[in-house]
Amino acid sequence: QLLVQSAPWSDFLRSRGVWGMMLAHGAKNFELYNLLAWTPTFFNQQYGLNTKESALFSIGPSICGMIGGLTAGNLADFMLVKLSSGDGNNDITTETRTNVRKIFQSVALFGPATCLFLLSSLPEKATTAQILLGGAVGLQAMDAAGFGAATQEKAGERWAGLLYSLTSLPGVMIGSISVSVTGQILDMMSSEEGSGWTTVFQLNSMVCVVGAFCFLFLYDSKKEFD
């Protein structure tokens, strides 16, 4: 309780980098929560798959997400070492860290945006849709080396966890709201075959693009809260 009371809340909210992380986190959750909640329904309505088949087709993207997150962490560490000016972690400059975070966060949002935009054309084959969904979930997991690691660079050990919680709360709210928004879109467009899903995927794609640009313009790895 004392830790929360003594936290630099006003400094958190004045930080451009913190806003960049919050907006990127919100965009990621908008897309991810939708995919987790609605993918089985999509396969059922669009391709006529039964519950068992829809569930099996929905497993693939989750596996891609696991692979994407593990790949991002190892690849980012490799890049940081290669781009550093020396042999130690302390030799990695703020500019290098910033660039690496922006690269991975761009992949984690522009990548899914591309996959979902292509998916909005509603491919004829369910396997094609599964590949695109797998790409979206796998690429979004790259944010493990984007905003996911950014709080440890913006804040010292004392505040890193709290800062991540601060950026997570709006993201969880946005993600939860997005699931409801998708349901409303599908209900409103239920009489027009396929068009509801087209709108859903295009909206998610647009949100990812907006979140990516926010992170690119607002974030830097300079430590602000020690």
Side-chain angles (χ1 to χ4, degrees), residues 2-216:
L2 291 176
L3 183 66
V4 173
Q5 292 176 348
S6 62
W9 295 109
S10 59
D11 292 335
F12 284 161
L13 296 177
R14 283 197 298 264
S15 169
R16 285 168 53 90
V18 171
W19 279 100
M21 289 186 286
M22 281 196 291
L23 293 170
H25 203 153
K28 172 257 182 73
N29 281 5
F30 191 100
E31 163 243 341
L32 181 61
Y33 281 36
N34 264 311
L35 296 185
L36 293 175
W38 288 102
T39 294
T41 304
F42 167 67
F43 281 119
N44 174 262
Q45 291 185 355
Q46 188 62 33
Y47 299 104
L49 303 184
N50 60 36
T51 303
K52 180 180 178 181
E53 292 168 335
S54 296
L56 288 174
F57 266 77
S58 302
I59 292 173
S62 298
I63 295 173
C64 291
M66 177 186 66
I67 295 171
L70 292 173
T71 301
N74 286 287
L75 185 56
D77 286 346
F78 175 79
M79 290 175 63
L80 286 169
V81 171
K82 286 296 183 182
L83 295 172
S84 67
S85 57
D87 296 326
N89 193 55
N90 293 331
D91 296 313
I92 302 173
T93 65
T94 298
E95 182 180 7
T96 297
R97 291 183 187 276
T98 299
N99 290 337
V100 170
R101 299 300 167 224
K102 287 184 175 182
I103 288 171
F104 280 92
Q105 194 57 56
S106 294
V107 173
L109 286 172
F110 285 128
T114 302
C115 292
L116 294 173
F117 184 78
L118 293 173
L119 187 60
S120 71
S121 66
L122 304 178
E124 292 184 7
K125 296 182 178 180
T127 50
T128 304
Q130 186 187 38
I131 290 170
L132 290 172
L133 286 168
V137 177
L139 291 171
Q140 66 80 31
M142 292 282 180
D143 63 20
F147 75 74
T151 54
Q152 299 174 55
E153 295 172 349
K154 294 298 287 182
E157 183 178 338
R158 186 182 186 194
W159 303 121
L162 186 61
L163 182 57
Y164 188 84
S165 299
L166 177 64
T167 65
S168 296
L169 179 59
V172 170
M173 295 173 63
I174 290 171
S176 300
I177 291 170
S178 75
V179 175
S180 175
V181 169
T182 294
Q184 294 179 45
I185 291 172
L186 294 174
D187 283 344
M188 286 188 296
M189 297 186 169
S190 59
S191 60
E192 303 174 41
E193 185 177 353
S195 64
W197 290 110
T198 295
T199 302
V200 165
F201 291 133
Q202 288 178 348
L203 174 61
N204 279 264
S205 177
M206 180 182 69
V207 170
C208 285
V209 169
V210 172
F213 277 119
C214 288
F215 191 85
L216 287 174

